[in-house]
Amino acid sequence: MELNGKQKRYLRSLAVNIKPIVQIGKSGLSNEILTSIRSACDARELIKVNILQNSDETATEVAESIEEMGLDVVQIIGRNLVVFKVADKKENRKISVDVKNLVK
């Protein structure tokens, strides 16, 4: 889903109050971490990913890998990323309904 400016601003405002769910450490960005990011997005739609200080990964490298999976990186601040994906299950779609209503 391609997000416009209003939609990104709305998602960033929601992300202020959430804590990072996934942390990337010194083992780097493995398939297990990518799978956990995808499953967390399916359950919650909007998550934060934290890259720890001892990791060799940069935020832009992680963002590229996440976007290759079909997820939207809404914001990168330092070593934190805000990631959004419309949930596959209808009962988990809470945020995406509001995001779709924010079309120009």
Side-chain angles (χ1 to χ4, degrees):
M1 174 180 191
E2 189 65 34
L3 299 172
N4 65 26
K6 280 185 181 180
Q7 292 168 328
K8 286 184 180 180
R9 279 194 305 273
Y10 175 71
L11 291 171
R12 285 194 302 252
S13 70
L14 292 177
V16 168
N17 297 323
I18 61 175
K19 302 245 186 263
I21 294 173
V22 179
Q23 294 183 337
I24 300 171
K26 68 179 178 180
S27 62
L29 195 62
S30 63
N31 287 333
E32 292 83 17
I33 291 177
L34 291 173
T35 304
S36 66
I37 290 171
R38 179 181 293 282
S39 62
C41 280
D42 280 337
R44 300 177 185 223
E45 291 189 318
L46 186 68
I47 65 166
K48 270 189 187 176
V49 177
N50 185 329
I51 304 168
L52 299 176
Q53 294 293 328
N54 61 354
S55 176
D56 293 334
E57 303 285 337
T58 64
T60 54
E61 291 172 350
V62 174
E64 289 172 3
S65 299
I66 290 173
E67 287 176 343
E68 287 174 3
M69 294 188 327
L71 308 177
D72 292 313
V73 176
V74 178
Q75 184 178 32
I76 300 173
I77 295 181
R79 300 180 74 84
N80 292 315
L81 288 84
V82 177
V83 181
F84 174 74
K85 179 187 178 288
V86 177
D88 293 335
K89 296 181 181 178
K90 285 191 175 185
E91 60 266 10
N92 291 340
R93 291 184 191 158
K94 297 177 181 89
I95 298 171
S96 59
V97 174
D98 295 335
V99 170
K100 287 181 182 177
N101 292 335
L102 290 174
V103 178
K104 297 179 186 176

